[in-house]
């Protein structure tokens, strides 16, 4: 292919990719580039949540609480930059719950550093429970490894630690998956059975992408996400 023609093709491809990214946001029911943008839909809250030091630009879009995503351009430096997510508040004690389950399906980049993860809060945010469904690049959990366990429908490496503000329990799936369902209540009751917390009140069950780096701009999409409790 002639150099000038090849350059034109490359340029047009870049324009098409950029247009596709913009198109996804423009065609969505809601989108924003504000760092702390949030949108309420169907009893859930969708948040952009760009909170880390040195964070770059990020645009969030959503068609519903269940279908959302971001175009995120985070520098290749250490530390979490953002956690775009959808959240459902439960607001009940573990002993008052018969079931809490969730399902998810994501499309994610093959490069960068991030994880697709649940972030679950209990007892007025005194406890944070993370369920890493997949991880990519230079990312790792807070604390030290305690054990490996099969609970809630998955096998996890379990870490316990603190971020200085609250206790953190991180469950890292032993192999990556981009879709599935989780018995959230089973995981929480397992923690309770170990004596790590008591009959806590379950707050928000959040799911999204904890992004450390996505240099050059990358697309992260939750094709579907939902939480049910009774």
């Amino acid at each position: 292919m002639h150099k000038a023609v090849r350059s034109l093709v490359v340029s047009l491809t870049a324009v098409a990719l950029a247009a596709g990214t913009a198109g996804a946001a423009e065609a969505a029911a809601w989108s924003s580039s504000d760092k702390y943008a949030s949108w309420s839909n169907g009893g859930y809250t969708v948040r952009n949540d760009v909170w880390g030091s040195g964070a770059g630009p990020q645009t969030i879009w959503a068609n519903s609480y269940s279908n959302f995503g971001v175009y995120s351009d985070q520098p290749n430096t250490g530390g979490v930059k953002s956690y775009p997510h959808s959240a459902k508040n439960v607001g009940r004690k573990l002993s008052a719950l018969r079931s809490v389950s969730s399902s998810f399906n994501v499309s994610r980049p093959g490069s960068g550093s991030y994880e697709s993860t649940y972030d679950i809060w209990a007892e007025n945010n005194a406890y944070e429970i993370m369920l890493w469904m997949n991880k990519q690049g230079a990312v790792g959990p807070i604390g030290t490894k305690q054990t490996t366990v099969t609970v809630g429908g998955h096998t996890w490496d379990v870490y316990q630690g603190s971020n200085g503000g609250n206790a953190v329990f991180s469950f890292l799936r032993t192999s990556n998956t981009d879709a599935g369902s989780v018995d959230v209540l089973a995981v929480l009751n397992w923690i309770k059975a170990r004596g790590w917390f008591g009959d806590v009140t379950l707050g928000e069950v959040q799911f999204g992408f904890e992004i450390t780096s996505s240099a050059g701009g990358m697309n992260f999409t939750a094709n579907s996400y939902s939480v049910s409790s009774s």
Side-chain angles (χ1 to χ4, degrees), residues 204-226:
E204 285 195 345
V205 178
Q206 306 172 349
F207 178 79
F209 307 95
E210 190 173 65
I211 304 170
T212 293
S213 68
S214 53
M218 298 179 185
N219 285 299
F220 300 77
T221 303
N223 300 305
S224 63
Y225 164 63
S226 62

Side-chain angles (χ1 to χ4, degrees), residues 88-156:
K88 177 71 175 292
N89 186 60
V90 177
R92 296 169 64 187
K93 285 189 173 293
L94 297 187
S95 60
L97 288 161
R98 294 195 310 275
S99 70
V100 182
S101 61
S102 180
S103 62
F104 68 95
N105 182 298
V106 301
S107 299
R108 60 190 180 92
S111 59
S113 295
Y114 64 86
E115 67 271 359
S116 305
T117 182
Y118 286 87
D119 206 5
I120 300 165
W121 298 88
E123 205 62 15
N124 198 27
N125 297 349
Y127 300 101
E128 179 179 9
I129 304 94
M130 302 194 76
L131 310 179
W132 291 25
M133 306 315 299
N134 59 58
K135 58 186 183 294
Q136 164 72 37
V139 293
I142 289 172
T144 55
K145 184 178 175 181
Q146 303 298 308
T147 188
T148 298
V149 66
T150 299
V151 64
H154 304 267
T155 301
W156 323 87

